[in-house]
Amino acid sequence: MSLENVRSFFKQYQLENRIHVFDESTATVAEAAAVLEVKPEQIAKTLAFSLKERPIVIVTEGTAKISNPKYKAAFKQRAHMVKADELEDLIGHPLGGVCPFALKPAVDVYLDESLKKHDVIYPAAGTANAAVKLTVAELEKYAQPVAWVDVIKE
């Protein structure tokens, strides 16, 4: 269902043909990079966190790791990842398919500055074997982030 929600989301922009579904898993950065034949950095990794008020997702380049001090400075609280078994209920996508599109209504999207060094990136598309090819400008346009943040380790 999650993949179909992402397809419907992109269909309104006539971009559903950008979604590619594979026989192999693209659930991890390494798997996605291998299947797509791109550098791991080009995978747009979407991480789900629970703030006290609501869940959020942060999209980073594939090899990035969250810096706890930077996260706390940006969000004024410690980082708490959404548990895998709660992802679909809180975010709208299963583990391996979390992306910044077709989310549950209360989920805010943030994009990390690390994405800006890439021309083309590949976020998941709602399932553990699908991805969508986008420019960073397109990601910003369609994900409609609340803000750009700098929350990764150097």
Side-chain angles (χ1 to χ4, degrees), residues 4 19 23-24 30 41 44 46 50 68 72 77 80 92 94-95 101 104 116 120 125 142:
E4 291 312 311
I19 296 171
D23 292 330
E24 301 90 359
E41 298 85 16
T46 306
S50 292
N68 287 322
K72 190 170 184 179
Q77 53 192 283
H80 294 284
L95 184 66
F101 319 107
K104 297 280 182 159
K116 290 183 175 178
V120 174
Y142 301 117

Side-chain angles (χ1 to χ4, degrees), residues 13 18 23 28 33 42 51-52 61 74 83 88 91 99 106 109 124 143 150:
Y13 305 107
R18 297 266 195 101
D23 292 330
T28 68
Q42 289 179 271
L51 295 179
K52 291 174 188 154
E61 73 173 357
K83 294 177 184 160
E88 281 193 84
I91 304 300
C99 63
V109 175
D150 176 11

Side-chain angles (χ1 to χ4, degrees), residues 80-120:
H80 294 284
M81 301 274 310
V82 172
K83 294 177 184 160
D85 62 349
E86 297 176 338
L87 282 169
E88 281 193 84
D89 288 340
L90 292 176
I91 304 300
H93 302 299
L95 184 66
V98 176
C99 63
F101 319 107
L103 298 165
K104 297 280 182 159
V107 180
D108 286 336
V109 175
Y110 293 85
L111 301 180
D112 186 79
E113 295 285 335
S114 61
L115 295 166
K116 290 183 175 178
K117 52 185 151 174
H118 304 285
D119 294 326
V120 174

Side-chain angles (χ1 to χ4, degrees), residues 9-153:
F9 175 83
F10 279 109
K11 188 173 186 171
Q12 67 185 321
Y13 305 107
Q14 290 78 46
L15 294 174
E16 68 273 21
N17 63 334
R18 297 266 195 101
I19 296 171
H20 299 282
V21 179
F22 302 95
D23 292 330
E24 301 90 359
S25 174
T26 56
T28 68
V29 170
E31 290 171 342
V35 170
L36 292 161
E37 299 179 348
V38 299
K39 295 177 184 175
E41 298 85 16
Q42 289 179 271
I43 303 305
K45 178 169 63 176
T46 306
L47 303 168
F49 294 91
S50 292
L51 295 179
K52 291 174 188 154
E53 318 77 55
R54 69 195 177 288
I56 64 168
V57 295
I58 301 173
V59 185
T60 71
E61 73 173 357
T63 56
K65 295 193 184 318
I66 297 294
S67 161
N68 287 322
K70 285 183 175 183
Y71 182 98
K72 190 170 184 179
F75 297 102
K76 311 299 183 234
Q77 53 192 283
R78 292 180 51 209
H80 294 284
M81 301 274 310
V82 172
K83 294 177 184 160
D85 62 349
E86 297 176 338
L87 282 169
E88 281 193 84
D89 288 340
L90 292 176
I91 304 300
H93 302 299
L95 184 66
V98 176
C99 63
F101 319 107
L103 298 165
K104 297 280 182 159
V107 180
D108 286 336
V109 175
Y110 293 85
L111 301 180
D112 186 79
E113 295 285 335
S114 61
L115 295 166
K116 290 183 175 178
K117 52 185 151 174
H118 304 285
D119 294 326
V120 174
I121 50 157
Y122 300 84
T127 189
N129 66 330
V132 58
K133 180 179 180 178
L134 299 170
T135 66
V136 173
E138 289 171 329
L139 174 68
E140 182 175 26
K141 178 179 179 179
Y142 301 117
Q144 299 179 349
V146 171
W148 282 88
V149 293
D150 176 11
V151 293
I152 65 160
K153 294 179 182 177

